[in-house]
Amino acid sequence: MQTYSPFNKPIRDLESSDLLNLKHTSEGWYIEYKREAPTSTTIAKSLSALANTYGGWFFVGIDEDSKENPVAGAFPGVERNEVDAVLQRMRKSAADHINPTPYFETKVLWGPVEQIGLEKDRCVICTWVPQSVTAPHVHKSGVIYRRVSDASEPKPENDRFVLDQLWRRADDIKQQHKKWYDRDPEFSDYEKLKPYVRVMLVADRWAEQGIWIDANEDEIRSVLATLDGASTIPFDTVHTSAEGFIGRQLNGNDPNNLSLTWRLGLDLVSDIIIPLPLYEVDTIQSLKIELDGYAYTDRFIGILNKYAAKKYRIVDLNYLFNVLRGVAEIQERLCKIAKWADAYYVKVKILNAWRTVPFLDILPVVERFEKNGPPMCLDSVISLPQGSHPESYTEVSRFPEIDVEMDIDESEGAKARVLLQAIAMFSNLALSFGIPRWIPCENDANLSPFHKELEMAGLRAIEVQRRRNERGSSAVGPISAA
């Protein structure tokens, strides 16, 4: 959601010289100047009022020219040794004095800037507060504040109509999320019988922060088509769409079929469709041929032999983790293009998986099936987390802490972060299919960490797919085997 700005750039790109613009910018609906850092209570009033009204800017270290001419007149700034304390006070004030806490960003702009008299070792603290869709933000005093015209101080709001509008401000965003959640792919008659995973990614759930991907088609093509190692899922076809871009994997696939697809919005909202191989066979021997190349095929088939099934519907999950690793790698690049430094959020939906048994070619998983019986999807559509509310997503940290038990080399920080993001995505899918989210391996020297077992199963899946292609099988996976 865009709000007024006295600058022609986002706050993260501001430079000290941009403060010159404020010499012609009056205090009022969108702007508030403070010569010195106010108290925590006053800061909370100002931040909540801006969030409740139209959004705007709060500056510390600037004095208005006069009441008759309320533009920035003097820039005394904040001393260097006081800056950390002021920033901490602002964060604590928002967290302790406002409910719910509004989103805001801050940037410190240092002198010297001779044109405005900002001296060396002094700075102006700039705070941008977008108009909030989670309004009203209530001050701890119990009062709802709003900016009013050219008033230099926020005013209490008690108009029932205005308050009702504040409460309903989030309705449009909630409705947009519901429409997005409900908008599953349009399947052909053939595709309605095949299972798919739908991965929904969003960075700014409440659309408050004005995220925008400023990149052309060639730049997006480079992001979607170049990946490393086990996570290789290149989108060899990329083109523009009404909402942004679409990437598809067509190499080796019929272009009329719904192959691996990435729908990317310019607001960093993504919809990824991952087809899953499905084997519908009448005999165990036929299934054994389809799974030729996996390490634990015989043990898995032994489990199925215990049951008097007339037909087997097996969904192959061995690609899935490496595909998600590729998704996380691409998402990380897109976040950098959009200059998004925070976490993003994920929701997964499993489509058309009714009455399927999952197969994951990992020994501890097969052993659990032997002990407890194989799980089966009993629903055609499964969603985790459930619901369509903007808060109903799983947070994926961009900078997760690395667990030493995972045997990840911390020197490869970027790859480790991508790996942990993939694990976060895989976790909900694993739960939906009835397989373990994580399996400890400290008691078995013959087992690699679970994420490495998942990676190796994915590499075996590529070989299995290659053998299927040679046989002319119709069970095509999300990665085309060369």
Side-chain angles (χ1 to χ4, degrees), residues 369-434:
F369 289 3
E370 289 174 333
K371 179 180 179 181
N372 304 316
M376 175 179 283
C377 289
L378 298 179
D379 299 301
S380 182
V381 178
I382 302 172
S383 170
L384 274 177
Q386 296 181 348
S388 62
H389 192 277
E391 297 293 336
S392 66
Y393 294 78
T394 297
E395 180 176 337
V396 180
S397 173
R398 297 278 309 288
F399 301 97
E401 293 184 4
I402 298 174
D403 188 343
V404 293
E405 294 183 1
M406 292 180 60
D407 190 28
I408 295 175
D409 185 354
E410 289 194 53
S411 65
E412 300 184 7
K415 291 183 179 179
R417 288 195 294 271
V418 165
L419 182 59
L420 290 171
Q421 291 172 34
I423 291 172
M425 295 182 198
F426 177 79
S427 179
N428 281 343
L429 284 166
L431 181 65
S432 301
F433 277 110

Side-chain angles (χ1 to χ4, degrees), residues 153-368:
E153 290 292 332
K155 301 294 184 183
E157 181 59 68
N158 52 20
D159 185 290
R160 291 300 300 270
F161 174 78
V162 173
L163 291 175
D164 184 59
Q165 294 301 303
L166 287 173
W167 283 109
R168 298 180 59 184
R169 189 183 285 179
D171 289 353
D172 286 345
I173 298 297
K174 293 177 183 177
Q175 185 62 30
Q176 289 176 29
H177 276 269
K178 186 177 187 308
K179 288 177 64 177
W180 181 34
Y181 175 86
D182 291 338
R183 193 181 65 188
D184 290 329
E186 296 184 30
F187 295 116
S188 66
D189 290 341
Y190 168 79
E191 291 163 349
K192 289 177 182 177
L193 304 176
K194 304 296 181 181
Y196 292 82
V197 167
R198 180 184 177 199
V199 180
M200 304 166 63
L201 301 178
V202 57
D204 182 10
R205 293 170 296 175
W206 290 101
E208 294 177 313
Q209 301 168 46
I211 299 178
W212 193 255
I213 296 177
D214 187 13
N216 59 39
E217 188 174 342
D218 288 337
E219 290 171 320
I220 296 300
R221 182 175 292 110
S222 176
V223 168
L224 294 181
T226 307
L227 292 167
D228 300 321
S231 64
T232 300
I233 53 165
F235 294 85
D236 50 78
T237 300
V238 176
H239 57 83
T240 58
S241 71
E243 298 174 345
F245 300 91
I246 293 178
R248 298 183 66 199
Q249 186 188 79
L250 296 186
N251 183 26
N253 292 311
D254 184 341
N256 294 305
N257 291 337
L258 182 58
S259 58
L260 183 67
T261 302
W262 190 306
R263 289 180 175 268
L264 171 64
L266 295 178
D267 53 357
L268 199 53
V269 172
S270 290
D271 222 324
I272 302 104
I273 304 300
I274 306 170
L276 297 175
L278 175 69
Y279 319 124
E280 294 187 275
V281 296
D282 298 324
T283 67
I284 287 293
Q285 186 58 35
S286 298
L287 181 60
K288 188 172 184 178
I289 293 173
E290 292 289 1
L291 299 179
D292 178 40
Y294 283 123
Y296 303 106
T297 298
D298 289 342
R299 293 184 67 166
F300 179 68
I301 287 178
I303 298 169
L304 299 180
N305 263 329
K306 296 178 181 179
Y307 306 94
K310 295 181 179 179
K311 190 170 185 177
Y312 302 90
R313 286 171 50 84
I314 309 300
V315 60
D316 189 341
L317 301 183
N318 290 289
Y319 290 100
L320 199 50
F321 182 73
N322 285 348
V323 173
L324 294 174
R325 186 173 175 182
V327 168
E329 186 177 334
I330 290 173
Q331 179 70 2
E332 187 68 20
R333 293 181 184 179
L334 292 172
C335 286
K336 290 178 180 178
I337 291 177
K339 298 181 180 179
W340 180 256
D342 296 329
Y344 60 89
Y345 300 86
V346 61
K347 183 186 295 292
V348 295
K349 294 183 74 175
I350 300 169
L351 308 173
N352 307 341
W354 181 73
R355 301 293 169 86
T356 59
V357 174
F359 173 56
L360 193 57
D361 194 45
I362 294 176
L363 180 58
V365 175
V366 174
E367 289 177 337
R368 290 192 179 205

Side-chain angles (χ1 to χ4, degrees), residues 22 46 65 78 87 132 174 260 370 394 431 475:
L22 302 179
S46 297
D65 184 57
V78 179
L87 292 173
S132 175
K174 293 177 183 177
L260 183 67
E370 289 174 333
T394 297
L431 181 65

